[in-house]
């Protein structure tokens, strides 16, 4: 198995079980991305309409339990509460990639990890260079580092492209590593007024969560109250509450026992992922993307150093970082690009990865809490994402004939047995998983 996997080309045909899992995840993200796109448009219209005061009033309305330190505004509930579900799913996806996905072995992890790391480092460096030259604040260095996979997939859906599964999987893996980087940045650099007792309580809750998983304890009545307690303690401990979500996602077991139809992580992802993608993230976008799009506000995006750094970081930095990182890693590892594709396809994906929305807006709020600078940085994220989407559309649409041919070949099922014919030939992807055909039939 290892031998056949090592000779598989970069961006070649995925093993069938992995493709089935990724296809489900991407389908959910695509639908959620379209809802996210609609929520962002609604936020912009509402915030720039005659009813903008109502928008601010709803966003800033406070409710909660003051005795528990949870008297938050609607905007903060969506950022600190609902986004914890988004990061829970991100933690599960990261764990799955580490255990059974492309990150489980150094050989398969090298390309996407190097590409993602370069795709984070170069945007941050360009942001710092821009604000240093313009006399701005370095606080927003992490804003242009994250790719929004849902928004990117929504753009692909609007464009009606037929990207092969391997290209979509590569984009998903990049976004997963991006999310891990964002989580670490939020946990390390955006903490304030640490409450060690609350953090100790959150850590104890995570240990109990781990023990329940190890002991194979089942039942939502154990995990939901415990998860809420961990989240509240993490929030009161001074660490951004979304870190609690990713921690629990990483603890959930991703391998299933013999008598289980699915692992706990798969079951939780199946239940929460649609709600996270279709409700939680769009609601965050609704109350985070409502910025002024007046002439002076848009002018500030290109004249003030902080927002200009965000635009350059997302549009230029992401493209340069991911493409150069991928190309150099492929050369260093002697990986052979799929002969049906070209480096122009990697360039198109690199530009598409410049769409940074959810996590970029969240880090922007943390880096510039309130004030005009925060609003300008948010506007910069929206402008940069729009520019990246348009440029990616031009690049990817030019290659759509090639993508359509590969897509149709990947999905052709002439014998109507539920398994694409390409997986029933003697190919590395088909032979790389000895149970591919059996698992494919079992999922019909």
């Amino acid at each position: 198995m290892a031998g056949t996997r090592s000779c598989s080309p970069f961006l070649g045909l995925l093993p069938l079980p992995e493709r089935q899992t990724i296809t489900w995840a991407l389908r959910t993200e695509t639908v959620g991305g379209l809802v996210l796109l609609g929520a962002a448009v609604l936020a912009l219209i509402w915030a720039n309409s005659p009813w903008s005061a109502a928008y601010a009033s709803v966003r800033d309305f406070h409710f909660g339990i003051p005795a528990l330190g949870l008297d938050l505004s609607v905007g903060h509930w969506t950022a600190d509460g609902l986004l914890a579900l988004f990061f829970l799913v991100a933690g599960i996806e990261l764990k799955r990639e580490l255990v059974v996905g492309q990150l489980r072995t150094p050989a398969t992890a090298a390309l996407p990890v190097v590409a993602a790391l370069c795709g984070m480092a170069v945007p941050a460096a360009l942001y710092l260079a821009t604000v240093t030259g313009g006399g701005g604040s370095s606080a927003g260095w992490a804003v242009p580092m994250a790719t929004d996979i849902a928004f990117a997939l929504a753009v692909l859906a609007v464009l009606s492209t037929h990207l092969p599964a391997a290209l979509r999987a590569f984009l998903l893996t990049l976004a997963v590593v991006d999310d891990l980087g964002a989580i670490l940045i939020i946990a390390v650099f955006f903490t304030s007024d640490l409450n060690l007792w609350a953090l100790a309580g959150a850590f104890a809750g995570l240990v109990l969560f781990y023990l329940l998983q190890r002991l194979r304890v089942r039942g939502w009545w154990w995990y939901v109250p415990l998860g809420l307690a961990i989240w509240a303690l993490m929030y009161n401990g001074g660490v951004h509450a979304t870190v609690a979500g990713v921690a629990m996602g990483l603890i959930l077991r991703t391998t299933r026992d013999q008598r289980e139809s699915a692992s706990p992580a798969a079951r939780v992802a199946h239940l929460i992922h649609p709600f996270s993608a279709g409700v939680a993230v769009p609601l965050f976008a609704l109350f985070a993307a409502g910025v002024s799009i007046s002439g002076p506000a848009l002018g500030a995006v290109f004249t003030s150093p902080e927002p200009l750094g965000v635009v350059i970081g997302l549009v230029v930095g992401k493209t340069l970082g991911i493409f150069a990182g991928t190309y150099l890693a492929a050369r260093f590892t002697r990986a052979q690009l799929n002969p049906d594709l070209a480096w122009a396809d990697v360039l198109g994906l690199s530009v598409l990865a410049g769409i940074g929305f959810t996590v970029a807006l969240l880090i922007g709020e943390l880096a510039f809490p309130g004030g005009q600078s925060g609003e300008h940085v948010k506007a910069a994220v929206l402008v940069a994402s729009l520019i990246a989407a348009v440029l990616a559309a031009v690049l990817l649409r030019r290659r759509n004939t090639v993508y359509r041919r590969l897509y149709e070949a990947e999905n052709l099922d002439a014998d109507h047995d539920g398994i694409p014919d390409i997986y029933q030939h003697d190919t590395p992807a088909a032979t790389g998983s000895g149970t591919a055909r059996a698992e494919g039939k079992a999922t019909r």
Side-chain angles (χ1 to χ4, degrees), residues 376-415:
H376 291 163
V377 165
K378 285 184 180 182
V381 171
L382 299 177
V383 170
S385 298
L386 178 61
I387 294 172
V390 171
L391 292 176
V394 173
L395 293 173
L396 295 176
R397 287 293 294 179
R398 290 178 65 249
R399 298 277 295 167
N400 201 38
T401 302
V402 175
Y403 301 151
R404 182 181 290 109
R405 175 174 55 81
L406 295 175
Y407 180 86
E408 291 172 352
E410 285 183 358
N411 292 276
L412 179 63
D413 183 17
D415 55 4

Side-chain angles (χ1 to χ4, degrees), residues 80-305:
D80 293 85
L82 290 180
L83 277 195
L85 296 176
F86 167 81
F87 279 101
L88 172 62
V89 174
I92 292 173
E93 290 177 345
L94 176 60
K95 180 77 172 286
R96 192 199 71 81
E97 289 286 340
L98 290 170
V99 175
V100 298
Q102 294 192 46
L103 302 180
R104 70 185 180 278
T105 61
T108 56
L111 277 167
V113 169
V114 170
L117 291 177
C118 292
M120 291 186 285
V122 175
L126 287 180
Y127 174 90
L128 289 173
T130 303
V131 297
T132 300
S137 169
S138 62
W141 63 273
V143 175
M145 292 175 65
T147 295
D148 194 303
I149 183 66
F151 218 126
L153 291 173
V155 171
L156 293 178
V158 172
L159 294 175
S160 298
T161 57
H162 296 76
L163 280 189
L167 283 171
R168 293 175 184 264
F170 184 66
L171 183 63
L172 176 62
T173 306
L174 284 175
V176 168
V177 179
D178 263 356
D179 287 340
L180 174 61
I183 291 159
L184 293 174
I185 288 167
I186 290 171
V188 174
F189 295 100
F190 294 102
T191 57
S192 59
D193 301 326
L194 293 180
N195 184 328
L196 297 182
W197 287 108
L199 287 178
F203 180 76
L206 289 172
V207 171
L208 178 57
F209 195 98
Y210 171 78
L211 292 174
L212 291 175
Q213 283 289 289
R214 291 283 292 178
L215 296 172
R216 303 305 195 258
V217 176
R218 298 185 62 173
W220 64 267
W221 50 88
W222 291 98
Y223 294 99
V224 172
L226 179 59
L228 291 174
I230 293 171
W231 172 85
L233 287 167
M234 191 75 74
Y235 176 82
N236 283 285
V239 176
H240 200 270
T242 53
V243 176
V246 76
M248 288 184 277
L250 288 171
I251 291 173
L252 281 169
R253 183 164 48 87
T254 54
T255 55
R256 62 184 181 90
D257 292 337
Q258 193 170 16
R259 296 182 179 180
E260 291 180 321
S261 59
S263 67
R267 291 196 300 270
V268 172
H270 186 77
L271 288 173
I272 295 181
H273 198 170
F275 180 81
S276 168
V279 178
V281 175
L283 279 177
F284 167 75
L286 179 63
F287 294 108
V291 298
S292 173
I293 54 175
S294 64
L298 291 177
V301 169
F302 298 100
T303 56
S304 299

Side-chain angles (χ1 to χ4, degrees), residues 38-61 73-75 78 282-292 357 361 365 375 378 382:
V41 172
L42 177 60
L44 289 172
I45 294 174
W46 191 2
N48 291 275
S49 71
W51 302 278
S52 58
Y55 174 83
S57 178
V58 173
R59 181 193 59 200
D60 299 334
F61 177 76
S73 68
V74 171
T78 59
L283 279 177
F284 167 75
L286 179 63
F287 294 108
V291 298
S292 173
F357 190 76
L361 289 176
E365 287 188 347
E375 292 297 301
K378 285 184 180 182
L382 299 177

